[in-house]
Amino acid sequence: MTPLATSSTGVQASVRRPVKAVFPLGGLGTRRLPASKTIPTEMMPVLDKPLIQYAVEEAYASGFREMLFVTGHNLRSVEDHFDLNLELERQLEQAKQTDLLDLVRAITPGDMACAFVRQPRPLGIANALLCVEHLLENEPFAVLLPQELWVGAPPVLQQLVETFERTQRSVVGVSSFNSEFLGTSSRLRPLDVSLAVSGGSERAGRCVFGADLFRHLKNQRPEGEHPNSFGDAILQLAAAEGVDALLCEGRRYDCGTREGHLRATVDLALSQEDLAADLVQLLSAGGMR
């Protein structure tokens, strides 16, 4: 049953909760060449899991059960990762490697549905979202860019969903490193324009939007030559209806860069008891000789 909220006029109205998460994956991964020539950035591992799995696990832990993947020409490995591998499961079962079998089966829980939509050409995040508009049924939805790995408790996406449910306004997650929050006491404020223009879409790696975003995704720039970018659409939505920025509790790693990927790997390794001591010893000794 849809929960009810009381408006300023005292009238109860239904609260819309997003139930579908969208993962735009159709980029060329040029920031991680030459590795990304054959291995999608989203499938590059941090420790023993690919980036896309971290993003899906975050969405699942935040209450999402419908995952929409927008893929490109070299992303069959993502679909395979979330598909059944009966031969592997059978071999693990026969070898009585139950721990590994549980790990494999946990990649796609039984109550999670996955849909894969092909983006014919790498035309950016805005175009990727338009590819799945028909699956969103005019409802609010989440967007996760898997190249950004967010580590937080509660999950960063859950923080955004709870904010959206309370305000019924689109909301973008930002990290403590975003300078526009320095010196402010509130974790929630109107979106800063710098987040939505000139490359700002790379910083909007976790978002929850109302369906009105699509109206702005379809707009043309004044010269009428090119469709809006993701950042353009967020900026227009902010001007028309307001978009909030939430200072999320957690840490953000841009794994689309070598430095971000390395930091994520080291930090997550240090957080695991079976790896931390060896890694500290290795680093303190100046690395492997």
Side-chain angles (χ1 to χ4, degrees):
M1 179 179 295
T2 303
L4 298 178
T6 302
S7 69
S8 59
T9 60
V11 178
Q12 286 189 325
S14 62
V15 175
R16 300 176 303 159
R17 188 189 193 285
V19 298
K20 297 178 181 178
V22 182
F23 304 85
L25 309 174
L28 295 175
T30 53
R31 292 192 296 165
R32 297 305 307 274
L33 286 169
S36 58
K37 183 175 183 290
T38 55
I39 304 171
T41 304
E42 295 84 1
M43 286 300 294
M44 292 182 181
V46 173
L47 299 184
D48 51 0
K49 290 189 291 191
L51 285 166
I52 183 62
Q53 186 173 336
Y54 284 99
V56 170
E57 288 178 352
E58 179 186 340
Y60 187 87
S62 302
F64 290 83
R65 296 296 181 266
E66 297 182 59
M67 314 297 179
L68 309 181
F69 302 87
V70 186
T71 66
H73 74 282
N74 66 335
L75 285 153
R76 178 61 187 269
S77 57
V78 175
E79 187 169 350
D80 289 343
H81 184 70
F82 291 99
D83 199 359
L84 291 175
N85 187 329
L86 295 177
E87 181 179 355
L88 174 61
E89 292 188 17
R90 188 182 305 112
Q91 290 184 2
L92 293 175
E93 222 167 5
Q94 291 173 350
K96 301 188 184 306
Q97 294 179 295
T98 54
D99 290 346
L100 292 179
L101 181 61
D102 290 342
L103 281 176
V104 170
R105 288 177 172 170
I107 293 174
T108 310
D111 61 344
M112 187 176 85
C114 298
F116 296 86
V117 176
R118 183 73 170 261
Q119 185 180 18
R121 291 187 293 164
L123 296 178
I125 299 171
N127 178 262
L129 295 179
L130 289 172
C131 289
V132 293
E133 180 185 10
H134 64 291
L135 298 176
L136 294 170
E137 300 175 340
N138 204 35
E139 291 294 325
F141 61 98
V143 176
L144 299 91
L145 305 186
Q147 292 185 22
E148 290 194 12
L149 173 58
W150 288 71
V151 179
V156 166
L157 186 58
Q158 180 179 327
Q159 298 173 42
L160 295 174
V161 169
E162 291 172 353
T163 300
F164 180 85
E165 287 184 298
R166 186 174 69 252
T167 65
Q168 292 293 285
R169 281 161 51 103
S170 295
V171 58
V172 172
V174 296
S175 72
S176 59
F177 300 105
N178 295 133
S179 59
E180 63 270 13
F181 275 93
L182 296 180
T184 66
S185 59
S186 174
R187 292 179 56 220
L188 187 68
R189 59 176 289 180
L191 182 71
D192 190 281
V193 170
S194 65
L195 286 173
V197 296
S198 185
S201 63
E202 291 180 3
R203 299 168 64 189
R206 298 293 185 272
C207 318
V208 176
F209 293 112
D212 288 338
L213 177 70
F214 285 103
R215 176 161 47 91
H216 302 288
L217 290 172
K218 296 172 183 175
N219 281 349
Q220 298 290 313
R221 292 194 176 115
E223 66 271 19
E225 295 179 357
H226 302 288
N228 273 354
S229 70
F230 186 43
D232 292 333
I234 296 174
L235 180 58
Q236 292 176 9
L237 181 65
E241 303 172 21
V243 175
D244 290 322
L246 178 69
L247 179 59
C248 296
E249 296 179 355
R251 189 167 182 85
R252 168 189 176 269
Y253 303 93
D254 181 3
C255 293
T257 68
R258 292 191 306 168
E259 296 80 6
H261 200 160
L262 178 61
R263 286 181 181 275
T265 301
V266 171
D267 283 359
L268 266 64
L270 290 173
S271 71
Q272 298 193 12
E273 291 184 4
D274 60 333
L275 295 175
D278 287 342
L279 180 58
V280 169
Q281 183 178 4
L282 179 65
L283 294 176
S284 62
M288 298 178 65
R289 301 287 184 186

